[in-house]
Amino acid sequence: MTAATDSSTRVVGLPSREADDANGVPAYVWLFLGSLVFNMFSGYSNYLGFPIGPDRILFAGAVGLLLLDPRVERLRFKPVYVIMAVLVVWTACSALSHGVLLETAKAYALLDRIIVPFLMFCLGPLIFSTSRRRVMLLKTLCLIGIYLGLTAIFEIIGPHALVWPSYIMDPNIGILFGRARGPFASAEPNGMTMGLALFASSILYTKLRGGWRRVALVGIVLSALGTILCLTRSVWLATIVALLVIGYLVPEIRRRLPALIASFVGVVAFILLAVPPIANPLIERFTMESSLYDRQNTNAAGLRIVAESPIFGIGWGRYLDIGANWIRQADTYPVTNINIEIHNTFLSRAAETGLPGALMWILCVALGPALFLVVNRPARSSERFVWWLMLIAATCYWFFPSMSSPNPYPLPNNLFWLIGGIVGRQLMVLPRADEIAAGVPEPTTAAAVVGSDEGEI
């Protein structure tokens, strides 16, 4: 196989799929990355002047071009695909039988909470099939973290005039005004995304050199600050657990854990002392009980629904419409809010689509991204290892919000499934015919493709 070299990319003895990028990354990769960026504004694109979300157009374009590319690999058959398809049909039938399938909010919920995440899982290993593309994804997450981190600082500390888009500063748009909400107009997805950007930036900082190493350092600092300023306990818990688990698995990080923890405590202390307006909200978030009452009330209502209608539930997306019928005043805590969803994703699925729907959802997670945490564990010397670490972080940022909120947020959910697919690439993708003929093994490092300022990753 020939070697190709230009001013920015060196290709040495590459498998054919790595050589595909020698003369440029396919357009569908750029479109897909663009869809992730614009996905931050999902639901609020009208405030940017778009009649329809650009992320949806870019995503559709990326999928279309991917399907037209004759070099694209094919997925192996996996039982989880059947379960995913059955779950989509089951949920759609649930919505149809209750006459809500054509309601805009319910239809978009089905698309964003189930269908698109499953597509992300399948598309991840196909779109990000080369090391160069996977580095591009990490860089995109790093830049997203920088934007969200800066926006969080401008939201909470100021100057507010620098917050963009301006709808972020409108208390009548979104929820939980007063926290760092970012373009999501909600603190939890903002923190979840910045948390993933924090780990992506950390990988880039340790693996790259030159200008991108400095950019990654900025990403680490701003993403870390943003996860604090979002004032969301599920995000804080996910960050701590992900750091401890990864620290346990990676000796280099384990040795630095005391310093990292001390730095985190120091940053929080500095914010409390240097930014008085933050002190009270930060302390309030540590001690707030009303949101715990909300979770207890909605979860108890969800359990009553499951007991009353265990097979079919009350219908997809209908809890907000009729869930108050199952709210009861408890003896030990008050009813503070009834116009919210069930604050546990798994219980929410059971209440709305019945136990079969919840079981299929759990199986999709268990046989999808979660499976690749425990099978085919990569060697520490392989590129897959850093993506396996990213999947650990993504799982934390997905699991803890899922256990304590409805977790309806498109971007962080999509990233969890996308990263799961990337990690499972070796088990999910059939080798290409030209690679089989050449007897080319799956590469174990990203040394195959390196830019002028990139190290191995």
Side-chain angles (χ1 to χ4, degrees):
M1 189 169 293
T2 60
T5 305
D6 61 28
S7 59
S8 62
T9 304
R10 181 175 75 253
V11 183
V12 182
L14 295 182
S16 56
R17 61 179 172 74
E18 295 282 353
D20 287 344
D21 291 348
N23 296 317
V25 174
Y28 59 77
V29 178
W30 292 104
L31 291 177
F32 188 87
L33 293 174
S35 74
L36 292 180
V37 172
F38 277 101
N39 199 226
M40 290 187 290
F41 309 95
S42 179
Y44 300 98
S45 297
N46 57 308
Y47 295 105
L48 301 178
F50 296 105
I52 186 173
D55 59 304
R56 301 189 187 280
I57 298 174
L58 292 170
F59 180 76
V63 174
L65 291 179
L66 176 74
L67 295 176
L68 293 174
D69 189 342
R71 300 168 299 177
V72 171
E73 298 151 309
R74 297 292 181 262
L75 293 173
R76 302 176 189 270
F77 172 77
K78 295 290 182 183
V80 68
Y81 303 150
V82 177
I83 301 173
M84 288 176 173
V86 173
L87 176 58
V88 170
V89 173
W90 178 273
T91 308
C93 289
S94 174
L96 181 64
S97 65
H98 290 88
V100 300
L101 182 60
L102 298 182
E103 290 186 17
T104 301
K106 272 77 168 181
Y108 274 120
L110 174 60
L111 189 67
D112 291 335
R113 300 189 191 190
I114 296 182
I115 297 176
V116 173
F118 290 168
L119 288 176
M120 288 286 178
F121 179 69
C122 297
L123 292 172
L126 300 178
I127 293 179
F128 297 99
S129 58
T130 69
S131 301
R132 183 176 183 178
R133 300 179 195 180
R134 292 189 286 270
V135 170
M136 289 171 62
L137 176 57
L138 289 176
K139 289 179 176 179
T140 300
L141 292 176
C142 175
L143 294 176
I144 287 175
I146 290 174
Y147 160 68
L148 294 178
L150 283 172
T151 302
I153 293 172
F154 297 149
E155 279 184 82
I156 304 300
I157 302 173
H160 294 164
L162 294 180
V163 175
W164 183 88
S166 58
Y167 72 78
I168 296 172
M169 296 307 299
D170 188 338
N172 298 313
I173 296 176
I175 60 174
L176 302 175
F177 183 78
R179 306 190 204 175
R181 308 184 306 160
F184 307 92
S186 179
E188 190 166 49
N190 197 32
M192 293 163 69
T193 305
M194 283 188 285
L196 283 171
L198 169 62
F199 283 91
S201 299
S202 300
I203 291 172
L204 289 175
Y205 180 77
T206 59
K207 300 297 183 179
L208 301 190
R209 58 182 179 271
W212 269 105
R213 180 179 172 88
R214 291 186 286 272
V215 172
L217 180 59
V218 175
I220 292 171
V221 174
L222 292 177
S223 298
L225 284 173
T227 58
I228 297 173
L229 295 177
C230 73
L231 303 178
T232 303
R233 287 174 290 193
S234 63
V235 172
W236 295 342
L237 179 60
T239 303
I240 293 171
V241 172
L243 185 59
L244 290 176
V245 172
I246 293 175
Y248 173 78
L249 295 169
V250 182
E252 294 87 345
I253 299 177
R254 184 163 63 243
R255 290 192 293 268
R256 298 173 184 171
L257 268 181
L260 291 172
I261 294 173
S263 298
F264 176 80
V265 174
V267 168
V268 173
F270 174 79
I271 291 175
L272 289 173
L273 294 174
V275 191
I278 291 297
N280 288 337
L282 193 60
I283 294 172
E284 181 182 349
R285 287 305 301 158
F286 275 112
T287 59
M288 179 177 287
E289 294 184 349
S290 61
S291 60
L292 299 180
Y293 300 149
D294 293 339
R295 290 176 175 84
Q296 288 175 293
N297 282 314
T298 58
N299 291 349
L303 290 173
R304 294 186 188 100
I305 292 172
V306 173
E308 183 176 316
S309 183
I311 304 301
F312 299 108
I314 58 174
W316 173 253
R318 298 187 71 222
Y319 181 83
L320 276 179
D321 300 331
I322 62 175
N325 295 332
W326 285 270
I327 294 289
R328 304 288 184 270
Q329 174 64 64
D331 295 332
T332 56
Y333 54 87
V335 174
T336 56
N337 191 350
I338 62 174
N339 296 314
I340 56 175
E341 293 188 67
I342 295 173
H343 275 49
N344 181 294
T345 304
F346 305 98
L347 181 56
S348 176
R349 296 283 191 273
E352 292 189 340
T353 63
L355 291 176
L359 178 60
M360 284 187 283
W361 174 250
I362 292 171
L363 285 174
C364 288
V365 175
L367 299 178
L371 179 67
F372 301 132
L373 288 174
V374 295
V375 303
N376 197 28
R377 178 173 172 175
R380 289 195 57 210
S381 60
S382 70
E383 180 197 1
R384 277 189 65 243
F385 184 74
V386 298
W387 282 100
W388 185 66
L389 296 180
M390 273 295 294
L391 180 56
I392 291 174
T395 302
C396 290
Y397 285 111
W398 177 85
F399 177 75
F400 290 107
S402 293
M403 293 298 292
S404 59
S405 79
N407 193 8
Y409 321 115
L411 182 57
N413 276 310
N414 289 345
L415 289 173
F416 165 65
W417 290 89
L418 177 68
I419 294 170
I422 292 173
V423 173
R425 181 186 142 72
Q426 287 182 319
L427 298 178
M428 292 177 64
V429 174
L430 290 167
R432 286 185 358 184
D434 52 357
E435 292 185 353
I436 295 175
V440 178
E442 180 77 11
T444 57
T445 72
V449 177
V450 291
S452 58
D453 64 344
E454 296 175 1
E456 294 183 9
I457 186 169

